[in-house]
Amino acid sequence: MSELFDRVDALVASRSSLPLPAERKRLRQAHGLTLDEVATALDVRRATVSGWESGKTEPRPPERDAYARLLNKLAELYPVDPNATVPAQDTAVPETFTGTPDPAPEAQALSTGPASDAASMTASEDTAPRLAPAPASHPARTSRPSSTSRRPGAKRAAPANTSAGVDPRFENGPLAVVDVEDGQVFAYCVGGLVLDVPAKSVAALVDWTLKEAKLGQPKLSGPGKDADPLIVLTAAACERYGLPVRLTQEERLAGRLPEGHKVNKQLARAEWQLTKRGFGPWARIYRPAQGGQRTCVQLCIPSWDALDTRHWGEAGQLPPAELARLLGVYASRVMTPRGSTAVTGLELMTALHPPTRASEPDATGKRHSEHNPGSLGKDPVDCAPCEAPDGHPLLKDMPRFHQRGPAEKLFEEAYDWARPLTDAECLRRNLVGIDVNMAFAAGANGLVVGLSAPTHVQGPAFDPKLPGSWLVDLSHVDLASVKSGKEWVELDANLLPSPFTPKGDRPQGPAWYATPTVAYAVELGYEVRPIEAWVRYETGRYLDGWYNRLRDAYIATMADLGVPADLSPQEFLAAMDGYRDRDPELAIVVSAIKATVKGGLGKLRERPRGEGWKPGEPWRALSRRTWDPHIRASVISRTRVNMHRKILKHAAFTGQYPVAILSDCAVYTSDGPSPLDFLPYREGKPLPGGFKLGVNPGLVKWEGTQSVLWGEGVREQFNAPDLNLARYIKTGEVTNKDDGE
C-alpha cells in the first residue's frame, strides 16, 4: 500500500506547479537545508539546485517530480506569512559584484542539456546566516542570437546596459572558464553567462576569444591599455585541446611545455607567438600589435598549478561557474590576473601608472610617445650599491664569499623579534595576538618614493622628503626616553624592540637605512648626521593609486563577508568570528588580495630564478623599470615604523609591552582572552595613535589567543627563551621553531 501511495504522490508532484524561485529558496532555508544537501538528495549537482532557486534553469523529470514533492512538504511545514514583506534586493553576497566593470549582471544560463547543471553562479550563502532575505523575483531576462551561441536552444544573457558604463567591447566580462561537458565546450563567464565555444584547437580558441567572445577589461588609467581577455582551461578542456592535464616533473621545473610540443607547433602554424615564458601555467599568446591594436590572450591552467594554493586555496578545484565567479570578483575589484598574485600586484602598479603617454599633436598633427609624469618610466635604472641584493652586477668586483654588513648593505625587513616574559607577565593567564590588516598596503599609503635613478651624496644633511638610503649611526637613540608629540616619555627600553633593525637589536654603529627609518629617529627626538646617502630628487606618491585600489577591493569583499567598516569593536570581533565560512569563495578572494600586496612589493626586488644565472651576471627582472628595491625597502621601513609607533603609544599609556612581534602581528600578555581585555578603549574610542580594532588597512584584528603556560612550555621544549610566539599564536601548533611566517 505504501508503494501505491508513493506512486500517487509522484503523480501529483509531476503535474503540480512549482513555487517561484525565491520561494523555493525560502523553503529550503527555513528548514535549514544547504544547497549541497538538497543536491545530494536529488542526485544532481549543487549548481543545478542553485540554478533552480535563481530562476536561471527549471528542473526536468525525473528530478522535477522529487523536487516538487520536497517543496510541497516544506510548504506544509513553513507556510508563507501573509504579513511578511520581502525586500527588492538581496544585499548579503551579490551574485554579481560591485566592481567596475560589471558585465552582464542578469545573465541567463543555458536552458537545455547537461551544461545547465553548472551554469549558475551564486554565493555560498548556505554556510552561514544571510544578512538579508532573498529577492522575491528576478528581473525579466532576454536572449539574443549570436554566432558565439550555436548550440540549439542555448541562450545568452541580455546585453549589458552600456549607458551604465559597461564597455560594449567587453560586455561578457574580463574572463571565462572553458570546460567540456558531454563532448561540448562551454565558456563560463561572470554573472552566470555561458557561451558555446566552437573552437577545436588552442589556436582557434585564441582566435574565437578575440573575435567573438567579447571578453576583456577597460584600462585602469588614461594612458594605459585595456586588459587582455583571460581564458581559464579546466582539466577537461586541456584534454580536449591536446594539452597535458598535468605537467611532468621536467616540464614543471622548466615552467613550460617543450618547444616541440604539438600545441606549440599549431600556434606557430597559425602565426601566433608566445612570450619568453613559453607555454606554461600562465601563457600569453599574441600577434604583434598593428596600428596600436593589441592582439593578445592570457591563458590560465589551474591543473598546472597556476593558482597557488597558498594564495588561492582550493580555487583550482571549484566547478567552472564558481571559479569564474571567484576570479571575476578579483578581476573587477583588483584587475584581470596576469599571472601569480605577485605578478598581478606588480602589473597593477604599471596599469595605474603607465610609463608613457601620448604627447600633444606636433606641427603635422601626429602624436608621439612621451614619459608619463608620476610613473617610473620605461627604461631600467641601476639601484644604489647598498640596495643591491647579493650577486647583483654592481657587486661583481666584490671579493668572493664576502658577507656585507649593515654598513655596506641596506637591511630593511619586517620584524622578527621576541623576548622572555617578565615575572609579572608570567602571572597573567593569556597571550593574545593582534594582527595589522593589510599592514604593507597601509605602509605604502601616502609614501613618497623616488621616480629617478639614485644620486650619491657625501656628508648630506638629512631631508625626510628625499627618498633613498642613508648611511648613519643611530646607536645613540635610547628608547628609555623618547619624544611622543611634544612631550618626552620614559619607557623600559629592555622590553622594547629597536625600530631600526628587523631583529629588534640596538644598532652598534653606522648602517644603511631607508628614509622612513631615519625620519623616525628624528621624530623620537634625536639628532642624525648621515655620513653619505643615495637619494632620488624626482619623487612622487607612486603607490597611492595602487593602495587605494587594493584597499577598496579588500574592504568591499570583507563587507560582502559580513564585516563592514563601520562596526564597534565588539561588533567587529563578533563579525570576524567565522567570516570565512560565510562564503568560502569570497574568503579566497580576500587571501588573494592580501597576497597581491605582499607579492607585488616583493617583485620590486625579484631575485634570479634559475635559468643558468651566475653571481655577477644580470638576471631577467633587472630589465624591468619596476625592478626598484628602494621602493620595497621604503614600504617595509614605514610599515615597521608604523608598528613601533603604535607599540610606544600603547606602552606609554598602559605600561604594557609586547612579548613578540612577527611582521604585522604583535603578542601581549593579558588577564583576559580578548584584545579588548588589554587595548585601552574608553567609551568605545581607542587610544589616539595606538592600536584600533577594525577592518580598514592599518587597523588590527584578533589573531589568536593561547595560554601563558602554553607559551612557556613551547619555549622550554625548544630550549629557546626568546622563541617568537607570534609565529604560532594563531593555532597554537608548533612543528619547528624555525618555521617561516
Side-chain angles (χ1 to χ4, degrees):
M1 184 66 69
S2 60
E3 293 181 2
L4 178 60
F5 288 164
D6 289 341
R7 290 199 296 271
V8 170
D9 287 344
L11 182 62
V12 172
S14 67
R15 296 295 187 269
S16 62
S17 60
L18 295 177
L20 292 175
E23 176 65 6
R24 303 170 194 173
K25 184 176 183 179
R26 184 193 73 80
L27 292 171
R28 174 179 58 78
Q29 292 181 334
H31 201 60
L33 299 176
T34 66
L35 289 172
D36 290 320
E37 288 174 327
V38 175
T40 301
L42 300 179
D43 196 22
V44 296
R45 297 171 59 179
R46 178 185 185 277
T48 302
V49 181
S50 179
W52 296 344
E53 291 189 356
S54 66
K56 295 175 180 176
T57 58
E58 287 295 322
R60 296 186 172 192
E63 292 84 2
R64 185 190 187 283
D65 304 344
Y67 188 47
R69 184 175 183 179
L70 170 66
L71 295 175
N72 289 337
K73 294 290 186 183
L74 294 178
E76 294 175 4
L77 295 173
Y78 308 100
V80 176
D81 183 355
N83 298 320
T85 59
V86 182
Q89 184 177 359
D90 182 354
T91 59
V93 180
E95 287 187 7
T96 55
F97 14 93
T98 57
T100 302
D102 186 6
E106 290 297 338
Q108 182 168 338
L110 296 173
S111 61
T112 60
S116 62
D117 286 352
S120 173
M121 195 166 16
T122 62
S124 301
E125 71 277 8
D126 302 293
T127 55
R130 299 284 289 184
L131 303 183
S137 61
H138 289 263
R141 295 173 173 84
T142 60
S143 61
R144 54 191 167 90
S146 170
S147 60
T148 60
S149 185
R150 302 179 179 181
R151 180 169 166 231
K155 295 183 179 180
R156 296 188 57 197
N161 186 354
T162 55
S163 63
V166 176
D167 193 321
R169 298 173 300 161
F170 312 129
E171 65 180 47
N172 293 334
L175 56 90
V177 179
V178 174
D179 190 33
V180 179
E181 207 166 330
D182 288 351
Q184 292 182 286
V185 185
F186 304 109
Y188 293 80
C189 308
V190 299
L193 173 66
V194 182
L195 306 177
D196 284 328
V197 181
K200 300 187 182 302
S201 68
V202 172
L205 177 64
V206 172
D207 194 61
W208 171 84
T209 301
L210 292 169
K211 292 181 178 179
E212 300 185 58
K214 294 189 177 182
L215 297 173
Q217 192 174 34
K219 58 188 177 182
L220 297 180
S221 65
K225 299 175 182 178
D226 297 328
D228 300 319
L230 172 65
I231 296 294
V232 183
L233 297 178
T234 66
C238 286
E239 289 184 310
R240 176 62 172 261
Y241 290 121
L243 295 168
V245 173
R246 293 275 180 187
L247 295 178
T248 65
Q249 178 68 16
E250 183 179 353
E251 290 167 347
R252 282 203 306 272
L253 291 174
R256 67 187 74 188
L257 291 178
E259 295 295 331
H261 193 278
K262 63 180 181 179
V263 171
N264 285 333
K265 294 179 179 179
Q266 290 172 0
L267 292 171
R269 285 196 298 269
E271 299 183 345
W272 290 107
Q273 300 180 28
L274 292 163
T275 61
K276 292 181 179 180
R277 289 187 298 181
F279 204 122
W282 290 92
R284 296 187 65 77
I285 304 174
Y286 72 98
R287 286 178 180 145
Q290 296 181 352
Q293 184 69 33
R294 288 164 59 84
T295 308
C296 183
V297 171
Q298 174 90 55
L299 295 186
C300 167
I301 307 179
S303 63
W304 294 6
D305 301 324
L307 300 175
D308 192 328
T309 55
R310 293 173 299 174
H311 310 137
W312 292 103
E314 300 303 318
Q317 307 300 319
L318 291 174
E322 295 180 27
L323 179 57
R325 172 190 179 242
L326 185 155
L327 294 176
V329 173
Y330 180 89
S332 68
R333 292 177 175 173
V334 180
M335 70 179 299
T336 303
R338 295 288 302 274
S340 67
T341 50
V343 169
T344 304
L346 193 70
E347 291 287 344
L348 180 61
M349 297 179 195
T350 303
L352 294 168
H353 284 289
T356 60
R357 68 177 183 183
S359 68
E360 293 296 324
D362 59 18
T364 64
K366 292 185 178 181
R367 297 179 183 269
H368 306 276
S369 177
E370 65 178 14
H371 174 69
N372 182 29
S375 75
L376 296 178
K378 63 178 182 178
D379 298 321
V381 298
D382 282 334
C383 61
C386 62
E387 299 164 353
D390 294 338
H392 191 280
L394 289 174
L395 310 176
K396 63 181 179 180
D397 295 329
M398 187 167 288
R400 193 178 183 186
F401 305 122
H402 174 72
Q403 297 293 321
R404 292 183 293 163
E408 299 173 285
K409 181 179 178 180
L410 180 69
F411 286 94
E412 290 287 9
E413 299 297 340
Y415 265 131
D416 186 356
W417 168 87
R419 63 169 177 82
L421 274 64
T422 65
D423 291 344
E425 289 169 339
C426 287
L427 296 178
R428 297 195 179 112
R429 298 183 62 182
N430 299 294
L431 294 166
V432 183
I434 52 177
D435 181 81
V436 180
N437 297 318
M438 300 269 284
F440 293 101
N445 182 29
L447 179 66
V448 176
V449 301
L451 305 179
S452 59
T455 300
H456 188 232
V457 184
Q458 288 285 355
F462 176 67
D463 185 350
K465 296 181 180 179
L466 277 182
S469 302
W470 308 77
L471 181 62
V472 59
D473 189 349
L474 299 180
S475 60
H476 63 290
V477 178
D478 187 0
L479 296 181
S481 180
V482 297
K483 200 171 184 180
S484 179
K486 295 182 179 180
E487 298 180 354
W488 287 82
V489 296
E490 304 298 322
L491 300 168
D492 189 340
N494 295 323
L495 303 181
L496 286 169
S498 167
F500 309 128
T501 61
K503 290 294 184 181
D505 302 325
R506 186 167 178 169
Q508 299 301 310
W512 285 99
Y513 303 100
T515 298
T517 302
V518 185
Y520 186 55
V522 176
E523 179 185 326
L524 294 177
Y526 290 86
E527 183 182 9
V528 297
R529 296 180 179 178
I531 302 168
E532 60 178 301
W534 289 89
V535 296
R536 279 88 174 165
Y537 291 107
E538 184 182 343
T539 66
R541 292 167 60 159
Y542 176 71
L543 295 175
D544 272 11
W546 183 80
Y547 161 78
N548 290 333
R549 181 89 177 166
L550 291 164
R551 175 204 60 196
D552 292 348
Y554 177 75
I555 291 177
T557 310
M558 289 299 292
D560 286 345
L561 285 165
V563 191
D566 56 353
L567 299 177
S568 68
Q570 295 82 359
E571 291 171 335
F572 171 70
L573 290 175
M576 287 293 292
D577 186 17
Y579 78 95
R580 290 183 171 274
D581 297 330
R582 293 173 198 148
D583 189 328
E585 293 169 18
L586 285 183
I588 291 175
V589 175
V590 170
S591 298
I593 292 170
K594 293 181 185 179
T596 303
V597 173
K598 290 187 176 182
L601 293 172
K603 277 283 185 179
L604 291 166
R605 200 191 66 163
E606 184 178 358
R607 302 300 303 277
R609 303 179 64 182
E611 301 177 342
W613 174 82
K614 295 180 181 179
E617 296 179 349
W619 58 92
R620 185 184 301 177
L622 299 185
S623 63
R624 301 190 317 248
R625 178 58 185 94
T626 49
W627 193 89
D628 202 326
H630 112 270
I631 298 180
R632 172 188 177 274
S634 297
V635 173
I636 294 176
S637 165
R638 194 161 185 249
T639 302
R640 194 180 65 245
V641 163
N642 286 345
M643 172 68 88
H644 197 272
R645 186 182 291 111
K646 289 180 172 64
I647 289 169
L648 285 191
K649 290 283 186 181
H650 186 86
F653 188 80
T654 66
Q656 298 171 336
Y657 296 83
V659 299
I661 306 173
L662 182 67
S663 186
D664 45 13
C665 175
V667 176
Y668 284 84
T669 58
S670 172
D671 292 324
S674 167
L676 289 174
D677 292 319
F678 71 91
L679 293 182
Y681 273 86
R682 287 187 175 180
E683 298 179 355
K685 296 182 179 180
L687 173 67
F691 296 108
K692 177 182 178 181
L693 290 166
V695 73
N696 287 297
L699 305 188
V700 300
K701 63 179 181 294
W702 175 62
E703 180 70 2
T705 297
Q706 305 297 332
S707 70
V708 169
L709 290 178
W710 165 86
E712 290 300 275
V714 169
R715 286 178 164 178
E716 183 178 351
Q717 175 186 349
F718 289 106
N719 192 26
D722 57 352
L723 178 71
N724 196 331
L725 299 174
R727 179 171 282 117
Y728 316 108
I729 194 70
K730 188 169 187 176
T731 64
E733 297 180 3
V734 183
T735 55
N736 187 312
K737 71 184 182 72
D738 295 322
D739 282 349
E741 181 183 353

